[in-house]
Amino acid sequence: MALSGLFLILFLSLHFFINMTSVFSADAFNAMSHFMGYNPLIQFVMQPVLVAGVIFHFVMGMVLEVKNRKARPIAYVNYNGAANASWASRNMIISGLVVLAFIGLHFYDFWLQEITYKYVEHNSQEPTRYFGELVGKFESPVRTGLYCVAFLLLSVHLWHGFNSSFQSVGFNNKYSKALHKLGYAFAIVVPFGFIFIALFHHFNQI
């Protein structure tokens, strides 16, 4: 669970870096997106690994949730969860399911249409189409709002998940405190960065 989470954090970081370039340079975003979309190593090796990682992470999350519930079939008479754990840590399954729903929307919105464009509708490459497609996705205020809400929940998920992943794999030394600060910063900067990107492209069309 921890290792798959750390793997997905690496992918999220790359995804954020590429998307952020769309704010500064349409040409740079088009070039990076075209490379990612047509590089055989990424398409036929890394992409299946990514999909497998997503599936494994969320299946394991549900399995662990079921095991945790079975470990205490009788509820506490008086339980104050907030006294020992944050809301984020006690509701990882909720934020995780919302993020999973968002990934499903993202696959439908971007990945499925990308596959359709490349392998069904067109036989030629168009390396300058990506920026326009991205901007077009954020024209709708409803879709933009859904993306923003999903990334807020992703921030909550990462707030606990980033640090607990390193703890689960046994990383506990003099660098732990600095790593915790990095984890909290990541949980804020990256999701809210995605929100900024969505709002930037949405309001620049008005």
Side-chain angles (χ1 to χ4, degrees):
M1 184 68 180
L3 290 174
S4 62
L6 292 173
F7 168 71
L8 295 177
I9 284 173
L10 291 175
F11 163 74
L12 186 67
S13 301
L14 176 62
H15 196 51
F16 172 67
F17 174 76
I18 294 174
N19 278 23
M20 183 56 76
T21 62
S22 69
V23 173
F24 304 102
S25 172
D27 291 338
F29 178 75
N30 282 330
M32 291 183 183
S33 299
H34 185 69
F35 173 81
M36 296 292 288
Y38 286 91
N39 183 282
L41 178 63
I42 294 172
Q43 287 296 296
F44 302 113
V45 178
M46 293 306 299
Q47 191 166 258
V49 170
L50 171 63
V51 173
V54 170
I55 294 173
F56 179 83
H57 186 71
F58 284 98
V59 168
M60 283 303 301
M62 294 176 188
V63 169
L64 289 175
E65 178 70 13
V66 170
K67 286 186 175 181
N68 287 339
R69 291 182 181 277
K70 285 185 177 180
R72 178 166 288 279
I74 301 175
Y76 290 105
V77 175
N78 187 14
Y79 174 65
N80 181 15
N84 300 308
S86 66
W87 187 93
S89 66
R90 289 180 286 113
N91 294 278
M92 288 293 283
I93 190 67
I94 296 175
S95 59
L97 288 173
V98 173
V99 173
L100 180 60
F102 163 73
I103 291 176
L105 171 63
H106 192 68
F107 266 71
Y108 170 79
D109 239 4
F110 287 92
W111 185 80
L112 183 60
Q113 294 189 28
E114 176 73 5
I115 295 299
T116 302
Y117 179 93
K118 288 192 297 186
Y119 300 114
V120 179
E121 296 178 350
H122 301 272
N123 294 320
S124 60
Q125 300 182 19
E126 179 52 59
T128 61
R129 65 185 170 87
Y130 302 95
F131 181 79
E133 291 177 354
L134 174 71
V135 172
K137 296 298 182 183
F138 296 119
E139 181 179 358
S140 166
V142 175
R143 180 185 279 111
T144 303
L146 288 174
Y147 268 74
C148 291
V149 170
F151 278 114
L152 283 174
L153 268 294
L154 176 63
S155 179
V156 172
H157 198 73
L158 289 170
W159 186 262
H160 173 72
F162 189 106
N163 289 323
S164 67
S165 293
F166 281 99
Q167 183 176 332
S168 296
V169 297
F171 191 92
N172 187 19
N173 53 38
K174 62 181 181 179
Y175 302 108
S176 296
K177 185 176 291 186
L179 187 63
H180 276 28
K181 292 180 180 179
L182 174 64
Y184 293 138
F186 186 90
I188 294 173
V189 172
V190 172
F192 281 86
F194 274 111
I195 291 173
F196 168 75
I197 294 168
L199 294 177
F200 177 85
H201 290 305
H202 175 70
F203 286 109
N204 271 348
Q205 299 180 63
I206 297 177

